[in-house]
């Protein structure tokens, strides 16, 4: 049976410009964005990222709505949560999002042999991983920061002091939340990439990453409680929380690294070292010929 | 002057203790080139060395005048590769993936989309361009693989077993497409263990056996035997006798007389013998052997 018809429309060579390696990296980045958000894919691929994004946004939108409503009926101003508390919610959602997104970025390329196509293009392994990581960083940063912007400008809009006065008085929250969002990405994404780099199935890599992150805190806590303080460094999920509280000027003595006696800068150093170590391992994994 | 698209000097590569290529010396001209050999002969390894995916263990290799792996990125922007194994994402449409594949080679987005559409038409997938490739048949997947290899208008395309898994009709169509590449200005190296495919489309052949180059040259030279075949309408015996009397070594097969060896130009000898005996001629020409015979003979000698 004939499966298609070869139309002889002639062949037109490409005589325009070629963007070379930078163009290839940009293409990788754009494809990464589409993969992470499930764009140009079946509806099933869109459900998780957009669902999680909606869950992250709902509290901010709900807060703004309630505040507008209470002002309309003349009630007192309400304040549900601070930026620091909001991070505790979005941080958990970001963990799930990153777990799914890193798998989506790396696993299908490897499992379906698409790496062979990349290997035949003007790209290095670093270009490939940088393009993928940049796409994830852009989405995760937006994912974490955008709800804070809604919360911030919602508060400014509903502030009894007026929009301009609120923004002027609280402007530091804008860079603090931006920096904290970046810290969450650096703390979570490299390890998730590592699991995705070694996993043959999306769910296995994501599940292993979430499992390690979830277990790290109780294990570290138990070891610290029996007097082994260095184990405070193993509380992987709490390091970004410590650093975020540090940036936002919030005291958080209940966290394991602090119970173990570590200053916030130690948590920041742990995040950076962990990121560099895992990035190195991911690079090593991809150095094998396809 | 011959323009070499690929050259190698003392090229060697090993996978641990297994030698895949040993002391390969090659000069490959432009056009459609056949790379033949049994499974494990080193064909895919040579293609991966040409792409810079593997680094030579010994020796040097060049493609399109550039040294590999030193200038691998520059080479890859003008080379396409169709791997033997699967390389297409099942959850993407053919149009999306081809546009992306063209962008990965450096084409601007708009040009990439246009090229994707053009090339899908060229390989007969225009009507399937918005289907997810996970639902494609083997024949459609092979065409999509070829399409991604040429979508960025390369100067050279490396095709690794392009007819693998295809039914006879699909094989014919694929060979037809490969045969047209040269007219598009695209040189090709077609790796295959199916020698008849190579005979169909290639004009230069590189034979590999056990990681070594068995033969490399124009197909016409490789398949030429130096013998002359004369098919006659009458009894071939008088002609054979005349040729033998003139000092030729002949063999009679049915209505055909094969001149294996002759003093001087065998065609002059045949002309004279035909005139002397008055034998009616049906066909006269150089006798050619198949690539398979050449390969088996070469592998046997080795």
């Amino acid at each position: 049976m004939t499966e298609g018809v070869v139309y002889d429309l002639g062949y037109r060579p490409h005589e325009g410009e070629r963007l070379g390696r930078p163009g290839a990296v940009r293409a990788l980045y754009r494809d990464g964005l589409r993969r992470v958000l499930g764009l140009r894919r079946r509806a099933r691929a869109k459900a998780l990222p957009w669902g999680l994004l909606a869950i992250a946004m709902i509290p901010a939108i709900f807060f703004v709505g309630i505040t507008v409503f209470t002002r309309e009926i003349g009630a007192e101003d309400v304040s549900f949560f601070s930026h620091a508390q909001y991070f505790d919610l979005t941080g958990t959602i970001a963990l799930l999002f990153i777990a799914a997104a890193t798998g989506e970025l790396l696993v299908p390329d490897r499992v379906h042999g698409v790496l062979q196509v990349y290997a035949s293009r003007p790209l290095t392994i670093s270009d490939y991983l940088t393009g993928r990581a940049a796409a994830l960083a852009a989405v995760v940063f937006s994912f974490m920061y955008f709800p804070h912007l809604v919360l911030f400008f919602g508060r400014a809009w509903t502030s009894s002091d007026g929009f301009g006065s609120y923004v002027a008085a609280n402007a530091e929250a804008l860079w603090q939340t931006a920096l904290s969002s970046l810290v969450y990405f650096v703390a979570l994404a490299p390890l998730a990439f590592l699991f995705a780099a070694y996993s043959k199935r999306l769910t296995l890599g994501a599940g292993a990453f979430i499992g390690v992150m979830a277990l790290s805190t109780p294990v570290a806590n138990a070891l610290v409680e029996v007097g082994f303080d260095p184990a405070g460094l193993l509380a992987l999920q709490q390091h970004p929380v410590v650093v975020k509280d540090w940036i936002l000027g919030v005291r958080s003595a209940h966290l394991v690294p602090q119970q173990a006696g570590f200053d916030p800068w130690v948590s920041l150093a742990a995040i950076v070292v962990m990121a560099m170590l895992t990035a190195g391992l991911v690079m090593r994994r991809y150095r094998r010929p396809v | 002057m011959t323009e070499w698209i690929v050259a190698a000097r003392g090229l060697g590569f090993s996978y641990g203790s297994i030698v895949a290529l040993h002391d390969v010396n090659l000069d490959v001209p432009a056009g459609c080139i056949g790379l033949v050999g049994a499974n494990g002969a080193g064909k895919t390894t040579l293609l991966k060395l040409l792409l810079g995916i593997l680094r030579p263990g010994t020796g040097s290799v060049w493609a399109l005048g550039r040294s590999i792996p030193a200038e691998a990125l520059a080479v890859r922007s003008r080379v396409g590769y169709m791997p033997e194994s699967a390389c297409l994402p099942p959850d993407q449409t053919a149009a999306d993936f081809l546009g992306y594949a063209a962008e990965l080679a450096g084409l601007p987005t708009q040009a990439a989309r246009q090229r994707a559409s053009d090339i899908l038409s060229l390989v007969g997938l225009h009507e399937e361009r918005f289907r997810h490739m996970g639902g494609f048949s083997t024949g459609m997947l092979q065409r999509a693989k070829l399409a991604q290899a040429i979508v960025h208008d390369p100067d050279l395309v490396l095709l690794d077993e392009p007819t693998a898994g295809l039914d006879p009709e699909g094989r014919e169509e694929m060979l037809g497409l490969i045969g047209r590449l040269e007219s598009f200005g695209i040189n090709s190296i077609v790796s295959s263990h199916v020698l008849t495919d190579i005979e169909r489309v290639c004009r230069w052949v590189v034979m590999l056996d056990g990681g070594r180059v068995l033969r490399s040259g124009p197909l016409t030279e490789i398949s030429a035997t130096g013998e002359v075949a004369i098919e006659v309408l009458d009894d071939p015996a008088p002609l054979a006798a005349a040729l033998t009397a003139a000092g030729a070594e002949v063999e009679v097969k049915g209505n055909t007389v094969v001149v294996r060896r002759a003093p001087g130009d065998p065609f002059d000898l045949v002309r004279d013998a035909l005139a002397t005996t008055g034998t009616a001629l049906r066909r006269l020409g150089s006798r050619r052997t198949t690539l398979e015979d050449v390969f088996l003979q070469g592998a046997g000698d080795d």
Side-chain angles (χ1 to χ4, degrees):
Chain A
M1 192 181 88
T2 305
E3 293 164 322
V5 180
V6 178
Y7 294 105
D8 191 357
L9 302 175
Y11 181 82
R12 285 182 293 175
H14 173 71
E15 287 164 351
E17 61 175 338
R18 288 177 189 259
L19 306 175
R21 192 173 163 190
V25 176
R26 279 198 295 275
L28 256 168
Y29 170 75
R30 284 196 299 272
D31 180 69
L33 291 180
R34 288 194 290 266
R35 279 202 165 272
V36 169
L37 295 172
L39 303 177
R40 293 197 199 170
R41 282 181 171 72
R42 292 188 171 100
R44 198 175 50 185
K46 296 177 179 68
L48 187 65
W50 290 100
L52 290 174
L53 185 61
I55 292 170
M57 289 295 302
I58 283 169
I61 294 167
F62 183 72
F63 165 76
V64 174
I66 288 289
T67 309
V68 169
F69 177 71
T70 54
R71 278 184 63 187
E72 289 290 322
I73 62 171
E76 287 185 14
D77 283 356
V78 290
S79 180
F80 285 106
F81 41 74
S82 64
H83 284 291
Q85 289 168 319
Y86 203 173
F87 265 115
D88 294 338
L89 169 69
T90 53
T92 305
I93 298 171
L95 181 78
L96 301 175
F97 185 90
I98 288 171
T102 47
E104 193 62 56
L105 283 170
L106 297 188
V107 177
D109 284 345
R110 218 176 43 252
V111 171
H112 299 305
V114 189
L115 285 181
Q116 296 179 100
V117 176
Y118 292 114
S120 67
R121 298 299 195 258
L123 287 165
T124 64
I125 295 160
S126 302
D127 292 337
Y128 172 74
L129 292 171
T130 302
R132 291 309 202 202
L136 184 66
V139 176
V140 170
F141 181 80
S142 306
F143 178 92
M144 297 214 66
Y145 190 47
F146 194 58
H148 287 279
L149 287 180
V150 171
L151 187 65
F152 181 85
F153 287 108
R155 277 184 173 153
W157 179 42
T158 58
S159 171
S160 53
D161 299 333
F163 185 90
S165 301
Y166 181 89
V167 171
N170 299 281
E172 76 278 1
L174 290 173
W175 70 260
Q176 287 172 337
T177 48
L179 192 57
S180 299
S181 300
L182 188 65
V183 167
Y184 269 88
F185 171 77
V186 176
L188 302 177
L191 191 61
F193 263 114
L194 183 64
F195 279 98
Y198 281 90
S199 175
K200 287 186 176 173
R201 298 183 69 168
L202 288 170
T203 47
L204 281 180
F209 168 67
I210 292 169
V212 166
M213 294 303 285
L215 285 174
S216 67
T217 300
V219 169
N221 190 40
L223 291 169
V224 168
E225 281 187 355
V226 298
F228 186 62
D229 287 345
L233 292 173
L234 298 177
L236 301 177
Q237 203 178 348
Q238 292 203 334
H239 288 309
V241 183
V242 171
V243 177
K244 172 263 297 178
D245 286 347
W246 186 33
I247 292 168
L248 292 167
V250 178
R251 197 173 158 73
S252 52
H254 62 286
L255 298 171
V256 177
Q258 290 172 326
Q259 285 172 5
F262 293 117
D263 289 333
W265 69 265
V266 178
S267 284
L268 180 60
I271 288 171
V272 173
V273 169
M274 189 77 177
M276 290 169 68
L277 191 68
T278 47
L281 290 171
V282 172
M283 282 290 289
R284 187 176 164 183
R285 168 77 172 98
Y286 276 82
R287 286 211 184 281
R288 284 187 207 164
V290 291
Chain B
M1 190 181 134
T2 307
E3 183 191 351
W4 305 114
I5 54 164
V6 165
R9 294 289 176 272
L11 183 64
F13 184 84
S14 301
Y15 296 98
S17 60
I18 300 167
V19 177
L21 287 176
H22 178 72
D23 194 25
V24 169
N25 294 292
L26 276 178
D27 288 305
V28 176
C32 185
I33 311 302
L35 183 60
V36 303
N39 291 330
K43 305 188 297 293
T44 300
T45 301
L46 181 57
L47 296 185
K48 288 186 174 179
L49 284 164
L50 289 173
L51 283 168
I53 297 174
L54 300 176
R55 300 179 77 88
T58 59
S60 306
V61 61
W62 297 264
L64 303 173
R66 293 177 183 270
S67 174
I68 301 167
E71 297 177 272
L73 293 183
V75 170
R76 282 187 212 155
S77 66
R78 304 311 301 246
V79 170
Y81 176 49
M82 176 183 174
E84 181 182 5
S85 53
C87 68
L88 304 171
D91 61 342
Q92 267 188 286
T93 65
D96 269 354
F97 183 69
L98 249 69
Y100 177 46
E103 284 188 74
L104 283 175
L107 266 64
T109 306
Q110 200 59 39
R113 284 187 192 153
Q114 184 60 52
R115 286 282 306 174
S117 178
D118 289 353
I119 297 299
L120 283 168
S121 296
L122 192 78
V123 300
L125 289 176
H126 188 72
E127 287 169 14
E128 315 293 339
R129 64 192 185 282
F130 297 127
R131 269 182 64 187
H132 287 97
M133 291 187 287
F136 277 12
S137 67
T138 306
M140 290 156 74
L141 286 172
Q142 287 297 93
R143 288 190 219 180
K145 279 163 64 176
L146 175 64
Q148 68 77 27
I150 61 172
V151 70
H152 53 297
D153 189 27
D155 294 329
L156 169 66
V157 65
L158 310 175
L159 310 174
D160 198 356
E161 303 285 356
T163 56
L166 296 178
D167 59 24
E169 194 176 352
R171 177 180 295 264
E172 282 302 309
E173 288 179 355
M174 177 59 73
L175 292 175
L177 285 168
I178 294 169
R180 293 174 64 198
L181 292 177
E182 194 174 351
S183 67
F184 304 154
I186 302 175
N187 301 295
S188 56
I189 296 183
V190 186
S191 162
S192 179
H193 65 277
V194 183
L195 304 181
T196 48
D197 288 354
I198 299 295
E199 285 174 327
R200 278 276 314 279
V201 295
C202 298
R203 59 187 182 87
W204 183 284
V205 178
V206 176
M207 288 184 168
L208 287 178
D209 183 49
R212 294 166 190 268
V213 177
L214 214 56
R215 298 280 295 272
S216 175
L219 183 62
T220 48
E221 269 181 27
I222 286 180
S223 61
T225 59
E227 299 172 351
V228 173
I230 315 130
E231 192 179 347
V232 297
L233 295 170
D234 309 326
D235 179 12
L239 177 65
L243 287 167
T244 305
E249 185 183 315
V250 300
E251 183 185 353
V252 180
K253 294 177 180 174
N255 275 357
T256 303
V257 179
V258 177
V259 180
R260 296 209 178 281
R261 207 168 296 160
D265 187 335
F267 286 98
D268 287 347
L269 205 66
V270 170
R271 178 200 60 206
D272 295 345
L274 284 168
T276 307
T277 59
T279 308
L281 179 68
R282 170 174 276 170
R283 191 178 295 132
L284 169 67
S286 296
R287 198 177 76 82
R288 299 200 173 278
T289 188
T290 64
L291 218 43
E292 190 169 358
D293 290 338
V294 176
F295 183 77
L296 290 173
Q297 187 186 354
D301 292 346
D302 198 47

